[in-house]
Amino acid sequence: MISITEWQKIGVGITGFGVFFILFGILLYFDSVLLAFGNLLFLTGLSLIIGLRRTFSFFFQRHKLKGTSFFLGGVAIVLLRWPLLGMLLEAYGFVSLFKGFFPVVFGFLGNAFNIPFLSALFQRLQGSSSSMV
């Protein structure tokens, strides 16, 4: 069993609030204040969960620099009160950064909740990723 520190528990809560504020900001027609607050909370929570050094090394790997620049550039543009453009850039950067995690998430959700569509999608993603290697 993995032990979770108090800082990681706080980080999960802060990340959850960040996702909530981002979704609430999108729901309220791209409210720039809520989106900016959600972005800052999300990044802060992520840093508390995995640590500053691992966060920095994740975002600034050589093959992830394009996704990082789009994601952090989108955060900066949202902070400059251009929420629609910033969220589009963030979405592209997020998908680019976390595309390796999507098969794991789809597989977990498909197996945990017995959702046939996600299970089939996971199998298809596994087949395409193993043929690339």
Side-chain angles (χ1 to χ4, degrees):
M1 185 161 153
I2 300 172
S3 64
I4 298 175
T5 65
E6 293 298 318
W7 286 108
Q8 289 173 328
K9 291 177 186 176
I10 293 169
V12 169
I14 290 174
T15 303
F17 276 119
V19 170
F20 169 76
F21 278 111
I22 289 172
L23 293 176
F24 197 55
I26 291 171
L27 185 68
L28 292 176
Y29 301 113
F30 293 96
D31 182 53
S32 60
V33 174
L34 288 173
L35 292 173
F37 193 59
N39 284 330
L40 294 175
L41 286 175
F42 178 77
L43 290 174
T44 303
L46 186 66
S47 298
L48 287 174
I49 291 172
I50 63 175
L52 288 174
R53 181 175 291 149
R54 290 174 72 187
T55 302
F56 187 80
S57 67
F58 173 78
F59 278 107
F60 293 104
Q61 293 175 10
R62 189 176 227 17
H63 65 281
K64 292 184 180 182
L65 283 178
K66 182 173 126 180
T68 299
S69 62
F70 274 98
F71 184 75
L72 295 179
V75 170
I77 289 177
V78 166
L79 289 172
L80 293 173
R81 295 190 180 249
W82 288 65
L84 188 60
L85 178 63
M87 288 306 291
L88 288 173
L89 292 174
E90 274 186 57
Y92 178 75
F94 184 83
V95 169
S96 179
L97 281 171
F98 295 102
K99 64 185 170 191
F101 295 118
F102 290 137
V104 175
V105 171
F106 289 149
F108 172 75
L109 291 175
N111 291 333
F113 299 114
N114 197 16
I115 302 172
F117 171 73
L118 288 179
S119 297
L121 184 63
F122 174 68
Q123 294 299 327
R124 183 172 296 180
L125 288 172
Q126 285 294 87
S128 66
S129 66
S130 65
S131 65
M132 288 182 194
V133 176

